[in-house]
Amino acid sequence: MTQDKTTHKPVKKAVFPVAGLGTRFLPATKAIPKEMLPIVDRPLIQYAVDEAREAGIEQMIFVTGRGKTAIVEHFDVAYELEDTMGERGKDLGVLESSRFVPGDIITVRQQVPMGLGHAIWCARAIVGDEPFAIFLPDELMVAHKGSTGCMKQMVEAYDRTGGNLISVLEVPENEVSSYGVIDPGAVDGSLTQVKGLVEKPAVADAPSNKIISGRYILQPEVMRVLEDQEKGAGGEIQLTDAMAKMIGDQPFHAVTFEGRRFDCGSKTGFVEATLALALEREDMGSDVRAVMERLLG
Ligand code: UTP
């Protein structure tokens, strides 16, 4: 399953497709991007960017759309806020993780949300000829205590395999139809060879219950495949369909993330993530537990 380590370039760029409409969270997402909804006190996009930085990624490319400017502003310097907080002796440390080296936040526009594959293709000029990571920020990947984040685990695997990598997790068989599913080949620890990919299969046709879970490392050739990609499931240009065409030409593996994943694109997943992270916080966990006990009677 491994390639010569010297043959592949390091992953230094990440694409964050954030141009979706967020219809499942309306009306909350009418004026606020879904990616700015907070889990406790950090917006979803911040968790994804922090995960990227931990994995050694330097350039963050946001594929944005109408009404998404708050995402870019979040990573800007907030002069008035910082001045006022400084004058009042408040700790500016809370703003540290949203600071960036100038030039390392790049945005491109997807004018019409034609699907995830199309959103990624919109970043082609900035990705250039390098391997790149993709983060779907509404999927929150939380590492186990003392362990590393999902993308860092993937980059470590990529150092061994090269090629294309996707993060997967197992779901109950009757849930596969909502996701991209892999046709699994040989398994080596947390690595599984990918023989095929299918977007939103019927339960009876699904090749496995291992679903793609919002993190990817892809070779730049995918941009050329996306160039000609036709519409797939839901009438959208699907990234899964483009990736499926690359299997066989390049190594393709799935990494099972050792950690937890919360689907914050769904309301129940969002609430679950909020409760789980709040309960684990040293500064508020016991208060939240008391509140929950009171609510549950
Ligand atoms: P989702 O389907 O989960 O997001 O797309 P959505 O369309 O915003 O949400 P709902 O279903 O209407 O509630 C997965 C990711 O791909 C991005 C989304 O922003 C999200 O991060 N996306 C999707 C785009 O950037 N462009 C698209 O055309 C579609």
Side-chain angles (χ1 to χ4, degrees):
M1 277 196 187
T2 56
Q3 264 193 344
D4 175 3
K5 193 174 173 167
T6 56
T7 60
H8 41 267
K9 296 181 187 169
V11 183
K12 293 290 167 197
K13 297 180 178 179
V15 178
F16 299 78
V18 292
L21 298 176
T23 53
R24 284 171 289 171
F25 271 90
L26 284 170
T29 48
K30 189 176 169 196
I32 296 168
K34 175 171 75 173
E35 298 77 12
M36 287 302 293
L37 297 178
I39 301 293
V40 187
D41 51 11
R42 286 158 73 198
L44 278 168
I45 189 71
Q46 179 80 61
Y47 288 95
V49 164
D50 290 349
E51 187 189 325
R53 282 170 147 168
E54 182 204 11
I57 291 168
E58 291 163 2
Q59 277 192 351
M60 314 293 163
I61 305 163
F62 297 138
V63 181
T64 69
R66 287 164 62 78
K68 299 282 182 167
T69 43
I71 296 175
V72 184
E73 277 173 28
H74 178 74
F75 293 101
D76 207 348
V77 176
Y79 287 110
E80 299 86 346
L81 180 65
E82 293 189 16
D83 272 7
T84 311
M85 284 176 71
E87 276 165 21
R88 294 180 186 173
K90 297 216 186 274
D91 178 15
L92 292 174
V94 284
L95 298 172
E96 199 51 49
S97 59
S98 56
R99 283 188 173 280
F100 255 90
V101 175
D104 277 354
I105 293 275
I106 300 158
T107 63
V108 290
R109 196 88 166 176
Q110 185 193 28
Q111 289 89 343
V112 182
M114 291 169 63
L116 176 59
H118 183 260
I120 300 303
W121 179 76
C122 290
R124 65 198 178 285
I126 302 163
V127 165
D129 197 22
E130 289 182 40
F132 64 104
I134 300 173
F135 290 76
L136 306 194
D138 56 356
E139 295 198 37
L140 177 57
M141 310 299 259
V142 180
H144 290 317
K145 248 196 167 71
S147 178
T148 56
C150 182
M151 186 52 70
K152 192 165 166 63
Q153 291 178 20
M154 291 177 71
V155 165
E156 282 163 5
Y158 174 79
D159 284 343
R160 288 184 286 137
T161 63
N164 301 285
L165 275 146
I166 50 180
S167 145
V168 290
L169 59 93
E170 290 184 35
V171 296
E173 266 155 37
N174 59 352
E175 290 178 17
V176 289
S177 304
S178 310
Y179 303 98
V181 177
I182 71 163
D183 182 2
V187 179
D188 176 7
S190 63
L191 267 185
T192 304
Q193 208 169 2
V194 177
K195 291 196 302 180
L197 291 166
V198 38
E199 184 65 32
K200 300 188 172 68
V203 173
D205 302 333
S208 75
N209 65 340
K210 285 186 172 176
I211 63 153
I212 307 173
S213 62
R215 300 292 183 271
Y216 312 68
I217 294 175
L218 297 180
Q219 296 303 311
E221 285 77 19
V222 74
M223 296 299 189
R224 285 194 273 286
V225 181
L226 282 167
E227 181 95 36
D228 305 320
Q229 191 58 49
E230 284 167 12
K231 288 179 182 170
E236 297 195 330
I237 297 176
Q238 298 287 354
L239 180 63
T240 305
D241 295 343
M243 292 191 304
K245 290 190 181 147
M246 293 167 67
I247 296 167
D249 298 343
Q250 298 175 339
F252 213 121
H253 293 97
V255 179
T256 304
F257 172 47
E258 283 171 38
R260 284 170 302 162
R261 172 255 194 190
F262 299 97
D263 177 8
C264 296
S266 84
K267 283 175 245 203
T268 310
F270 185 87
V271 172
E272 185 188 357
T274 303
L275 290 174
L277 268 59
L279 283 167
E280 285 163 18
R281 287 263 297 244
E282 273 175 24
D283 60 338
M284 61 189 292
S286 53
D287 289 346
V288 174
R289 191 172 299 277
V291 167
M292 283 179 70
E293 280 165 4
R294 202 163 61 228
L295 287 173
L296 294 170

